[in-house]
Amino acid sequence: MSQTPLLSLRNLRTMFTGENGEVVAVDNVSFDVNAGEIVGVVGESGSGKSVTALSIMGLLPKTGARISGGEILFRGRDLLKLSSREMRGLRGREIGMIFQEPMSSLNPVFPIGDQIVETIIAHERIGHRAASARAADLLNRVGISSPARRMLDYPHQLSGGMRQRVMIAIALACSPKLLLADEPTTALDVTIQAQLLDLLRDIQDETGMAIVLITHNMGVIAECADRVVVMYAGRVAEEAPVDRIFDAPNHPYTVGLLGSTPDITRDERRLWTIPGSLPRIEAPPSGCRFAPRCQLAIADCERGQPQAVQIGAAHWAACLRTQDASSLGRKT
Amino acid sequence: MSSRTVSETPAGVVARKYFWRGRIARRLMKHRSFVIGAVLCTLVLLVAIFAPLIAPTDPNRMAIRFRFQPPSWDFPLGTDNLGRNLVSRVAYGARLSLMIGLGVVLLNAAFGVLLGALAGYFERLDGFLMRLSDALMAFPSILLAIGIAAALGASATTAVIALAVVYIPRTARILRASVLVVKEQEFVQASQAAGASHGRILFRRILPNCMAPLIVQLSFVFAYAVLSEAVLSFLGLGAPPTTPSWGILISEGRSYIREAPWLTIVPGGAIAVTVLGLNLLGDGLRDVLDPRVKMDGA
C-alpha cells in the first residue's frame, strides 16, 4: 500500500509530571492507520493505550501531561501544531471517540436525543429539525428501535449496551474519518460485546471510516481488527496484520499475551501467565522494558531499547530474539 | 404513546413537552413538602400582590384612638402604638420583603453562578476568585451587610446589594464544588471528544448537572434575605421607616413587647411562614428536578 496513511504517529512521546518528576507514559510510539482499516491496539492496563488515544485527540489533562516529542499526522497535518480552536473543529467532525464507560459517558440530565442533536449542531450549519431527523436516523443505524421515542429517554433509562450504541451514534454524528474506540466493550457483557463489535464492523464497511480499537481483549482483536499494534509499558512491542499476530507472533510479550488467553481448542489445565507485572513507570528498566519478565532475555536485552525489526510484510517486532520468540509461540 | 415519526414532531420539542407536562409536574404534585412549601409561598405571594385589596386602610394611616388594640373582629391582627392597622402593614410588608428577597436571589444567582462556574472550571481563576470569596466570608454576614448598607446609605436597594454581596461567595462556593465534581465525569471528556467548546461544555453540559444544589441554595438565600432584610430594617439600615417592612414592624413593636406582643408576633410569624415555605419548596424541587434521584420508580 503506497497511499499516505490517514493517521500516522511518528515517535510520539507523552510525559506526565508526577510527584517524583516526569515519567514517560508513551515512549517513541509510531504506527499508521490507513483509511478504511481497523487497527487494534492491545496491551495491559497501564501500557499507554489510552494515553496514546487521548494524545491523538488532544485531550490529555491540562495540568501534568504533555507531549514532548514526535508528530501526529492526520491527513498530512500535524495535529500537535494545530491551535486549540482548530483541534476543536476536528474533534467530533473528523475524529470521533467512544469511551470505555457507557454508564458515565452520557450527560445524565439531558435526553439522549438532545445530546446527539447538540453534537450535530455544534459542527454543522443545520436546523434543529433536520438535526433531530438525522439523530433519529443515527439511532436507527446503531440498532435502536423506535428512535423517535428513545430520543426522549434519559441515559439512566437505557441499558449499558444501549448507551454504548448511543455513544457510537454521537461519535458517528458527523461521519468522522477516524473513530477512536477506547475499550468500547470492556464494561459490557459478552453477548452485547459481540453485537457492538458487529455493529462497528458494519458501520466501518458502509462508511469506509478507519477505526482504532483499543482493548486488552485478544478475542476482540481477533474478531475485528485488520492490523494489530501490541503495546507494552508505553512502547510498541510488535505490529503485524491480525493473522500474523495470532499465527506467528514474534515478540515474547505477544506470545505471552496470546498464551494467557483461554482457548477451547487447546487442551491444558491452567492458563499460561506472564510472571511479574508491568515495570513501574517511574523507574523503567534501562533496556528492553519487557526483559525482566521475559523468558528469553539475554544480557544484551538490558543494554538498550531494541529497535523494531522487520519480520515480514507490515510486520515488525521490537525484540532482539524474534526468531526464538516465534518458536516459543509454537511450544505454548 | 403512539409511534410518532420524527418528521412529524421534532424530538427536541416533544422532549420538552414531555418533560414539563408529564413527569416533573406529576412528581412535584406528589411531593408533600413541595406542596406545603408551594402553598405557603403562594399564600405570601398572593398577599403581596393583592395587598391593596387586603388592606382595610392605608398602612400608614394613624388612628390614635385605636392604639394598642389587641386582635379583634374589627382589627384582626390588632393595631400598633399609633393605631395603624397591622393587617395593612403586614400585607404591604410582604411586598417589600418578597421584592428584596427576589432581588437578592437574582443578583446572587447571576454572579454566584458565574463566579462559581468560572472558578470551578478554569483552574487558573480558581485561586484568585476563591481567596476573594474567603475575604468576604471572613466577615460575619450580618456585620458585612451592615457595613455595606451603612456605606451606601440606607434604602431598600442598598439592602438588596448588601445582602447579595454577602451571599454571593456562598453560592459561588457551592457551585464551584459541584462543578469540580461534574467536570471530572466522563461525559465531559466525551463532549470534548465531540468537539464542544469550553463555553458550551461549562454552561450547557456541566451547569445543568449542578442545578440541584443551586436550587436548594437559592431557596435558602431567599429565606435568609427575607430574614436579614428584617434585621437590617430592624437596625435602621434597610428600607426607610415609613415603609412597613416586616423588620421595621418588629423593630417598632419591640418597645411594646410586654403590653402588645402581637406587634412582634405577627410580623415575626409572617417571616417564619415565608422562610419555612421557601425551604420546603427548595427541598421539594431538589428531590424532583434531579433526574439522578430516580425518575419513575422503575
Side-chain angles (χ1 to χ4, degrees):
Chain A
M1 267 188 275
S2 60
Q3 84 213 69
T4 50
L6 181 71
L7 175 78
S8 180
L9 302 188
R10 294 269 163 269
N11 307 318
L12 181 70
R13 202 175 150 86
T14 302
M15 326 207 18
F16 283 95
T17 313
E19 281 169 21
N20 312 317
E22 294 208 303
V23 295
V24 180
V26 171
D27 190 10
N28 223 355
V29 166
S30 303
F31 63 86
D32 290 348
V33 180
N34 295 308
E37 186 180 43
I38 300 186
V39 174
V41 176
V42 67
E44 294 169 60
S45 307
S47 59
K49 302 165 297 191
S50 296
V51 176
T52 305
L54 292 178
S55 302
I56 297 170
M57 289 302 271
L59 289 180
L60 290 167
K62 263 173 246 125
T63 47
R66 70 192 174 92
I67 296 175
S68 63
E71 290 178 323
I72 301 171
L73 299 172
F74 178 72
R75 307 173 86 191
R77 285 201 291 173
D78 188 354
L79 297 187
L80 301 179
K81 296 209 174 79
L82 296 185
S83 68
S84 56
R85 199 193 180 85
E86 288 171 308
M87 259 328 270
R88 202 152 60 221
L90 213 69
R91 277 183 225 131
R93 188 171 179 77
E94 305 226 20
I95 309 179
M97 184 158 181
I98 38 183
F99 292 87
Q100 180 171 355
E101 269 300 330
M103 297 298 168
S104 55
S105 308
L106 289 165
N107 197 330
V109 300
F110 290 112
I112 57 162
D114 283 11
Q115 301 190 42
I116 307 176
V117 167
E118 282 247 317
T119 308
I120 300 174
I121 289 176
H123 288 288
E124 290 176 35
R125 295 184 153 277
I126 182 173
H128 199 276
R129 231 190 153 84
S132 295
R134 195 150 112 208
D137 277 350
L138 282 163
L139 285 179
N140 206 12
R141 183 142 135 225
V142 297
I144 289 177
S145 52
S146 50
R149 222 165 76 200
R150 285 281 160 248
M151 282 173 75
L152 311 182
D153 284 348
Y154 287 86
H156 70 272
Q157 294 168 299
L158 304 179
S159 68
M162 295 263 271
R163 288 188 221 182
Q164 196 60 296
R165 284 171 195 269
V166 172
M167 283 309 294
I168 294 174
I170 291 176
L172 294 178
C174 294
S175 331
K177 307 277 182 303
L178 176 67
L179 180 68
L180 302 178
D182 187 359
E183 310 242 10
T185 58
T186 306
L188 305 170
D189 65 59
V190 190
T191 45
I192 306 295
Q193 274 188 19
Q195 290 173 12
L196 279 173
L197 292 175
D198 283 348
L199 174 67
L200 280 178
R201 272 218 91 106
D202 289 348
I203 289 167
Q204 195 264 343
D205 278 346
E206 274 172 49
T207 60
M209 168 179 78
I211 300 178
V212 174
L213 185 64
I214 294 168
T215 178
H216 56 245
N217 185 337
M218 276 300 194
V220 169
I221 293 287
E223 176 100 0
C224 270
D226 300 315
R227 232 149 37 76
V228 184
V229 175
V230 180
M231 287 188 72
Y232 183 77
R235 288 183 184 162
V236 174
E238 184 166 8
E239 181 186 343
V242 67
D243 44 348
R244 297 275 299 169
I245 281 284
F246 284 94
D247 296 344
N250 266 280
H251 194 290
Y253 178 61
T254 317
V255 175
L257 211 53
L258 288 170
S260 59
T261 312
D263 182 347
I264 50 168
T265 64
R266 275 191 316 218
D267 180 30
E268 57 207 335
R269 291 271 175 78
R270 302 196 58 166
L271 274 178
W272 165 259
T273 54
I274 305 176
S277 57
L278 272 174
R280 284 187 347 127
I281 191 171
E282 300 89 352
S286 54
C288 173
R289 291 190 173 176
F290 188 56
R293 300 170 75 183
C294 181
Q295 296 182 305
L296 301 174
I298 51 174
D300 275 350
C301 293
E302 292 175 12
R303 255 175 227 137
Q305 180 182 355
Q307 294 303 305
V309 190
Q310 179 143 26
I311 287 141
H315 188 169
W316 288 271
C319 181
L320 298 176
R321 307 200 58 193
T322 49
Q323 252 134 45
D324 303 294
S326 54
S327 57
L328 186 71
R330 247 159 257 135
K331 264 186 284 169
T332 44
Chain B
M1 191 172 295
S2 65
S3 59
R4 299 189 186 95
T5 60
V6 180
S7 52
E8 287 164 19
T9 39
V13 178
V14 180
R16 239 144 267 141
K17 275 186 197 158
Y18 197 48
F19 184 87
W20 287 113
R21 300 232 176 109
R23 272 180 263 204
I24 296 291
R26 211 170 45 235
R27 294 196 62 223
L28 279 174
M29 285 305 123
K30 278 191 198 152
H31 198 286
R32 191 166 299 152
S33 74
F34 174 84
V35 173
I36 296 172
V39 167
L40 291 181
C41 289
T42 313
L43 206 71
V44 176
L45 192 70
L46 288 177
V47 168
I49 293 171
F50 296 108
L53 299 179
I54 294 168
T57 58
D58 182 280
N60 287 322
R61 194 181 145 209
M62 292 181 255
I64 302 296
R65 229 158 27 101
F66 298 111
R67 58 202 295 248
F68 294 126
Q69 291 290 319
S72 65
W73 188 250
D74 289 335
F75 303 103
L77 299 176
T79 61
D80 68 2
N81 56 326
L82 298 171
R84 291 175 294 198
N85 194 326
L86 219 53
V87 173
S88 309
R89 290 178 73 71
V90 168
Y92 275 95
R95 286 190 151 185
L96 199 74
S97 287
L98 288 193
M99 277 203 338
I100 288 179
L102 195 67
V104 173
V105 164
L106 290 180
L107 276 181
N108 202 280
F111 288 98
V113 166
L114 189 69
L115 296 180
L118 292 177
Y121 191 70
F122 296 107
E123 278 165 37
R124 282 185 196 166
L125 289 173
D126 191 29
F128 173 71
L129 289 175
M130 285 302 112
R131 294 301 78 73
L132 202 68
S133 79
D134 282 345
L136 286 174
M137 281 162 71
F139 294 95
S141 55
I142 274 299
L143 210 60
L144 181 62
I146 290 171
I148 298 169
L152 296 176
S155 77
T157 322
T158 324
V160 170
I161 294 172
L163 293 174
V165 171
V166 169
Y167 293 116
I168 282 171
R170 285 149 221 267
T171 306
R173 263 287 149 88
I174 283 168
L175 204 78
R176 167 183 172 269
S178 333
V179 169
L180 282 178
V181 172
V182 174
K183 82 166 178 179
E184 295 303 327
Q185 291 185 17
E186 212 162 31
F187 68 83
V188 173
Q189 201 176 38
S191 321
Q192 286 176 328
S197 62
H198 283 310
R200 181 174 285 271
I201 289 173
L202 178 53
F203 291 104
R204 311 268 331 243
R205 304 295 164 92
I206 295 181
L207 273 191
N209 279 286
C210 305
M211 278 326 206
L214 182 70
I215 287 169
V216 177
Q217 167 69 3
L218 289 180
S219 74
F220 288 144
V221 165
F222 202 132
Y224 283 137
V226 170
L227 208 57
S228 309
E229 182 276 328
V231 173
L232 284 183
S233 300
F234 181 85
L235 296 171
L237 287 165
T242 47
T243 43
S245 123
W246 287 345
I248 289 172
L249 297 190
I250 294 178
S251 167
E252 289 173 351
R254 184 184 52 129
S255 322
Y256 316 102
I257 197 160
R258 284 175 193 279
E259 299 80 16
W262 59 91
L263 288 183
T264 40
I265 290 172
V266 170
I271 294 172
V273 166
T274 311
V275 171
L276 177 69
L278 286 165
N279 280 337
L280 291 174
L281 194 77
D283 280 351
L285 280 173
R286 178 198 51 200
D287 289 351
V288 174
L289 273 186
D290 187 349
R292 284 165 299 192
V293 186
K294 186 172 85 163
M295 201 69 183
D296 40 14

